[in-house]
Amino acid sequence: MPEIPYSFDRKRTAASLQEEFGEKIETATHTDIEVSVAGRVMLRRGQGKLAFATLADSSGRIQLFAPVDKTVNFEEFTQLNLGDWIGAKGTMMKTRRGELSIQVDEWTMLAEAKRPFPDKWHGLADTDTRYRQRYVDLWVTEEARSALTARSRMVSLMRAWLQDRGFLEVETPILQTIASGG
């Protein structure tokens, strides 16, 4: 296992790559455009001399395409766990199935997941875990993430609206799971 670095020079996000190259690159085409991204491994599948992974960052997801003859430490790449934080450098491409991808030349383990993430198909099925470990639910469930983002934006807009009208904010607990106060 490679030594874990203190930093990784991420140049792009998944959303910016999807926006810039989603329609630009033809299906089954490789480019010379070098990119580097960092995020969590949300899905991994090996197919002999190829490995695929879905990398998620705060902006979205992008597929990593790792051929055995081009990817440094290919065997370790195929052993990544769901939830591991990695940084990947490579070139932009589109697979034969039309999925925008990064052909991984080299990758770096940034942090290992101490507990495995739920798999893609079953998700986070245990309701108790969903409420007690909200951070896991936010990483795994797209609906929970979008609801939190919408709520955060709404609270921010409401706060700005009230401040513009001279109201003073008084801190109250809004994320406690147990109703309290006096």
Side-chain angles (χ1 to χ4, degrees), residues 14 17-18 37 43 45 51-56 61-66 77 91-104:
L17 293 173
Q18 295 284 0
V37 294
L43 182 66
R45 57 204 175 279
F52 296 90
T54 300
L55 187 82
R61 297 174 183 231
I62 189 131
Q63 179 172 270
L64 301 179
F65 174 86
F77 187 86
T91 55
M92 292 303 301
M93 63 169 287
K94 223 176 220 185
T95 63
R96 289 183 297 186
R97 293 189 178 191
E99 181 77 24
L100 185 66
S101 304
I102 299 171
Q103 180 175 310
V104 179

Side-chain angles (χ1 to χ4, degrees), residues 21-103:
F21 301 110
E23 302 295 324
K24 197 181 209 180
I25 300 175
E26 302 277 331
T27 300
T29 304
H30 292 265
T31 68
D32 293 331
I33 302 166
E34 298 268 334
V35 296
S36 66
V37 294
R40 272 198 135 136
V41 176
M42 300 305 286
L43 182 66
R44 180 189 46 81
R45 57 204 175 279
Q47 297 178 348
K49 295 183 178 186
L50 285 177
F52 296 90
T54 300
L55 187 82
D57 62 14
S58 60
S59 69
R61 297 174 183 231
I62 189 131
Q63 179 172 270
L64 301 179
F65 174 86
V68 68
D69 58 338
K70 304 263 186 192
T71 306
V72 176
N73 297 328
F74 177 79
E75 287 301 318
E76 287 88 0
F77 187 86
T78 62
Q79 300 303 314
L80 288 171
N81 292 319
L82 299 184
D84 285 347
W85 288 91
I86 67 167
K89 295 180 182 179
T91 55
M92 292 303 301
M93 63 169 287
K94 223 176 220 185
T95 63
R96 289 183 297 186
R97 293 189 178 191
E99 181 77 24
L100 185 66
S101 304
I102 299 171
Q103 180 175 310

Side-chain angles (χ1 to χ4, degrees), residues 141-159:
T141 312
E142 180 66 35
E143 294 83 26
R145 203 168 32 256
S146 64
L148 178 74
T149 303
R151 183 193 181 286
S152 177
R153 287 186 181 140
M154 183 182 69
V155 168
S156 178
L157 288 171
M158 189 182 324
R159 180 176 288 132

Side-chain angles (χ1 to χ4, degrees), residues 156-172:
S156 178
L157 288 171
M158 189 182 324
R159 180 176 288 132
W161 186 85
L162 289 169
Q163 285 176 348
D164 288 345
R165 284 155 181 78
F167 285 87
L168 178 66
E169 180 176 356
V170 178
E171 298 262 342
T172 57

